[in-house]
Amino acid sequence: MCTILKGYEMLSLAKSLAISSLVFAGAIFGFFYAWVCSTMWGLDTLDPRTAIAAMNAMNGSVRNAVFAPAFFGTPVVLAIAAIALKLANERGASIWFATAAAVSLLFGTLLTMAVNVPMNEALALVDIPDDRVAAQVIWEGYSPKWQFWNQARTVASGVALLLACIGLTKISKTA
């Protein structure tokens, strides 16, 4: 790649990748943030039987071609931007983007796969009881823990976005 792209072209490509990665990082941060400040609070106000059913429906619908690129692609695009920046001799910016990629992967993607997804899968296996009190016990065992880990991945995604933004400011202005 370096033999094909030199100087200005490589830096221009690296900048484009950096900006694209900010869009990805912003999208996944926004997705997690929406769950923090509206979705879960709204579900917590519902009859727990309805909340469980709604959560199961949302978890089932999120596995789609619109969500997947932001969720799985964010750490990848951040890492590609970091590599391109390094190849463009923008080492300082590259380090910020590489760090953002690591944070996104570890505390966004992998945390979700290790904690939130298994919790969602377990909730999906629950037969929603007709009894409201029994459903409340299930929901109260799920929602606070799920929200804690969602807040952790939201903060991490915000940190990754911030790191990438800082990295963007470190790119030279020559291209």
Side-chain angles (χ1 to χ4, degrees):
M1 188 164 161
C2 283
T3 58
I4 297 170
L5 298 173
K6 293 288 183 181
Y8 171 82
E9 292 172 338
M10 188 64 211
L11 184 56
S12 182
L13 174 63
K15 282 183 175 181
S16 295
L17 289 167
I19 290 167
S20 296
S21 71
L22 289 176
V23 172
F24 276 74
I28 200 63
F29 170 69
F31 176 82
F32 292 153
Y33 180 71
W35 285 86
V36 169
C37 65
S38 63
T39 305
M40 293 306 291
W41 293 347
L43 291 176
D44 283 346
T45 67
L46 297 176
D47 179 311
R49 296 166 292 195
T50 303
I52 294 167
M55 188 68 171
N56 285 337
M58 286 184 279
N59 288 330
S61 73
V62 79
R63 295 176 182 148
N64 63 63
V66 176
F67 174 71
F71 181 73
F72 293 107
T74 296
V76 173
V77 177
L78 286 163
I80 291 169
I83 292 166
L85 287 161
K86 185 173 182 183
L87 293 173
N89 295 318
E90 293 287 341
R91 189 175 186 282
S94 176
I95 291 169
W96 287 99
F97 278 88
T99 305
V103 168
S104 177
L105 177 64
L106 294 173
F107 302 107
T109 308
L110 295 179
L111 173 63
T112 298
M113 300 305 289
V115 179
N116 294 86
V117 169
M119 289 183 70
N120 295 343
E121 290 172 347
L123 187 67
L125 296 175
V126 169
D127 288 326
I128 301 172
D130 291 331
D131 179 57
R132 182 185 171 110
V133 174
Q136 186 70 32
V137 169
I138 294 167
W139 186 248
E140 287 176 356
Y142 173 86
S143 181
K145 181 179 176 188
W146 193 94
Q147 288 187 59
F148 173 83
W149 290 109
N150 182 62
Q151 290 167 9
R153 68 186 181 168
T154 302
V155 169
S157 296
V159 168
L161 177 59
L162 178 62
L163 293 169
C165 288
I166 293 169
L168 191 63
T169 69
K170 303 299 179 185
I171 299 172
S172 68
K173 309 296 182 219
T174 59

